[in-house]
Amino acid sequence: MDTAKLKAFVGKQWDDAVIPTLIEYIKIPNKSPAFDPDWEKNGHMAKAVKLFEDWARERLPALPGSTLEVVQLEGRTPVILIDVPGTAKGASKETVLLYGHLDKQPEMAGWDEGLGPWTPVLKGDKLYGRGGADDGYAMFGSLTALMALEEQKIPHARCVILIEACEETGSPDLPYYVDHLSKKLGDPSLVVCLDSGCGNYDQLWLTTSLRGIAMGELNIRVLEEGVHSGDASGVVPSSFRILRELLSRIEDEENGKIRLPELYAQIPEHRIAQAKQAAKILGDDIHDKFPFAGKTEPLDDDLAELVLNRTWRPALAVTGMDGYPSPQNAGNVLLPFSTAKLSFRLPPTVNADDATKVLKKALEADPPQKASVEFKAEHGQDGWNAPELSEWLVKSISTASEEAFGRPVAFMGEGGSIPFMKMLGDKFPKTQFVVTGVLGPHSNAHGPNEFLHIPTGKKVTHAIARIVADHAENAGKS
């Protein structure tokens, strides 16, 4: 492989074709179904799918024999399936599955002046707007990597690109498509996922694990309606005080540590070693990437402990509240109820359903002042711990990082969830995984001012081309 030629090809494709299309994609408010229940009627999802489909079809002639289909089961979000025939000897026996998604998180407030979720803005090396980095670039990067191999006639196995449209909702439709398309997906020996993060923009980062999630609404009701606070306070218990007391059953308010032992898992020694190495590479960037207000400090001075906190330990975030007027509209009323949306991040190997049952029992048992308490749990998601890398893949990702970035590969777990990884890991236990992405410091996926770091997108594309080529050379090796 001519690496200089590969780099030039990828760079030109990104500049001429990928970035202009991502700009159009960012303009489309195709929010995931959880945030746009009328997604089908509104048509934004269909528009995004059509944009992706047209771009891909225009380039399929560069990959002879390739096919594309948009599949939509009744009542479910669509998927895009691209099948690129293998060119290596024995290619029919091997399949590489490349995954991404095109649905988006909602707008979120707080965007800087001149920026917005559906307003693409290019500033230097960054493309601002919702969805470019999470995860719109995945299909474009995957196809570009395969075209780069074809340009140099570098052999590769059969490759299947799968782009779903409900990942940000927890991928509820994906299991149905995995079953429906099982014959076309085959039994992949390598899965490439481009929906993850990177510790910095200086090297390739391989995601080693993903946390699971348990979530639901905790509702505390003490009155049928609000009453005068001067008349009732001291007689009627505050729903907020009860909420606070119940949360203290779950979380130590002094340090944020979860109190329930069932929500913890034994951290493997090699993951601890990788966390220490990641901390050494990143230094204070581990916490400096977050926009702390005032003099707020991180939860620990030990950087490796911070890495483990966000990858292998449970944590609670209260992500929403109901039952309270805004301060300017707050009268002297003792409020009838408090509702909090609770999001628990779980270690990769903790079962989400079991954790949800433990949480529900702890929150609802023996409520203070016998208040009406209910934890309405949602369907949780299990985390994922990557299987051990084969010898050829260790060598390949190391070479890919050096070629594309000029620095060694690095390893770190991620705090978020990608439901597809757990699903595939269970279905194909012998499969090798390359989970990586472009969501680095300050890229702020799901929040305001989200951006795609374009040089990293190009380099990740280069790295995937190298890994897919190496996979073909090592077909059948464990």
Side-chain angles (χ1 to χ4, degrees), residues 1-3 5-10 13 62-64 84-88 96 98 140-159 161 190 192 396 400 403 460-473:
M1 183 185 295
D2 185 331
T3 56
K5 192 174 183 180
L6 173 63
K7 180 179 180 180
F9 181 91
V10 168
Q13 283 294 316
L63 298 165
V84 180
T87 57
V96 177
L98 301 104
F140 306 103
S142 297
L143 267 180
T144 297
L146 297 180
M147 289 191 295
L149 295 180
E150 180 65 27
E151 191 214 17
Q152 295 191 43
K153 302 302 178 185
I154 304 295
H156 60 81
R158 172 179 176 256
C159 294
I161 300 173
L190 175 65
V192 176
S396 179
E403 281 185 0
V460 167
T461 301
H462 179 138
I464 295 308
R466 160 57 66 187
I467 293 166
V468 171
D470 289 345
H471 167 266
E473 290 187 8

Side-chain angles (χ1 to χ4, degrees), residues 283-306:
D284 288 345
D285 286 345
I286 290 170
H287 52 74
D288 284 351
K289 68 177 183 177
F290 298 109
F292 285 98
K295 296 182 179 180
T296 306
E297 297 178 344
L299 284 168
D300 203 302
D301 294 331
D302 188 318
L303 297 178
E305 288 298 301
L306 291 179

Side-chain angles (χ1 to χ4, degrees), residues 213-327:
I213 188 170
M215 51 193 168
E217 289 186 2
L218 177 61
N219 185 68
I220 297 96
R221 181 172 285 276
V222 296
L223 292 166
E224 294 301 323
E225 60 184 11
V227 295
H228 194 299
S229 61
D231 187 27
S233 59
V235 178
V236 178
S238 160
S239 63
F240 181 82
R241 195 264 297 166
I242 293 174
L243 169 64
R244 184 174 58 188
E245 184 175 340
L246 292 176
L247 291 182
S248 292
R249 296 178 178 181
I250 305 298
E251 178 193 53
D252 187 331
E253 60 269 20
E254 291 188 3
N255 53 35
K257 293 181 179 179
I258 299 299
R259 296 184 186 273
L260 303 178
E262 297 93 337
L263 269 59
Y264 285 83
Q266 183 69 38
I267 306 175
E269 288 297 326
H270 65 292
R271 297 301 187 220
I272 295 175
Q274 288 171 342
K276 291 179 178 179
Q277 182 63 23
K280 185 177 180 180
I281 292 171
L282 297 175
D284 288 345
D285 286 345
I286 290 170
H287 52 74
D288 284 351
K289 68 177 183 177
F290 298 109
F292 285 98
K295 296 182 179 180
T296 306
E297 297 178 344
L299 284 168
D300 203 302
D301 294 331
D302 188 318
L303 297 178
E305 288 298 301
L306 291 179
V307 173
L308 292 171
N309 281 350
R310 68 175 287 274
T311 58
W312 274 92
R313 294 192 180 115
L316 166 64
V318 178
T319 59
M321 292 285 288
D322 196 8
Y324 299 87
S326 61

Side-chain angles (χ1 to χ4, degrees), residues 39 45 49 70-72 76-80 163-166 177:
W39 63 268
M45 192 76 72
V49 168
V70 176
V71 184
Q72 186 165 9
R76 303 198 179 279
T77 53
V79 298
I80 298 174
I163 306 297
E164 67 157 317
C166 64
Y177 284 111

Side-chain angles (χ1 to χ4, degrees), residues 243-438:
L243 169 64
R244 184 174 58 188
E245 184 175 340
L246 292 176
L247 291 182
S248 292
R249 296 178 178 181
I250 305 298
E251 178 193 53
D252 187 331
E253 60 269 20
E254 291 188 3
N255 53 35
K257 293 181 179 179
I258 299 299
R259 296 184 186 273
L260 303 178
E262 297 93 337
L263 269 59
Y264 285 83
Q266 183 69 38
I267 306 175
E269 288 297 326
H270 65 292
R271 297 301 187 220
I272 295 175
Q274 288 171 342
K276 291 179 178 179
Q277 182 63 23
K280 185 177 180 180
I281 292 171
L282 297 175
D284 288 345
D285 286 345
I286 290 170
H287 52 74
D288 284 351
K289 68 177 183 177
F290 298 109
F292 285 98
K295 296 182 179 180
T296 306
E297 297 178 344
L299 284 168
D300 203 302
D301 294 331
D302 188 318
L303 297 178
E305 288 298 301
L306 291 179
V307 173
L308 292 171
N309 281 350
R310 68 175 287 274
T311 58
W312 274 92
R313 294 192 180 115
L316 166 64
V318 178
T319 59
M321 292 285 288
D322 196 8
Y324 299 87
S326 61
Q328 62 266 33
N329 293 321
N332 292 322
V333 176
L334 196 150
L335 300 168
F337 72 94
S338 295
T339 298
K341 178 65 176 289
L342 308 182
S343 174
F344 294 89
R345 292 294 174 176
L346 305 173
T349 54
V350 168
N351 181 273
D353 289 338
D354 292 343
T356 299
K357 292 175 184 176
V358 169
L359 288 165
K360 185 174 179 65
K361 181 178 179 180
L363 290 167
E364 292 184 348
D366 192 21
Q369 276 75 58
K370 297 185 179 180
S372 176
V373 174
E374 183 182 14
F375 181 59
K376 294 182 179 179
E378 301 177 24
H379 180 66
Q381 300 167 16
D382 288 341
W384 171 79
N385 187 25
E388 185 178 354
L389 297 177
S390 62
E391 186 176 339
W392 77 263
L393 187 52
V394 172
K395 181 178 179 181
S396 179
I397 59 176
S398 298
T399 301
S401 186
E402 291 286 358
E403 281 185 0
F405 292 85
R407 290 187 61 181
V409 65
F411 302 86
M412 186 166 64
E414 284 293 332
S417 304
I418 306 175
F420 193 38
M421 293 304 100
K422 171 65 175 174
M423 193 186 309
L424 283 185
D426 290 343
K427 192 175 183 65
F428 305 113
K430 296 182 180 179
T431 297
Q432 292 284 285
F433 289 84
V434 172
V435 181
T436 188
V438 299

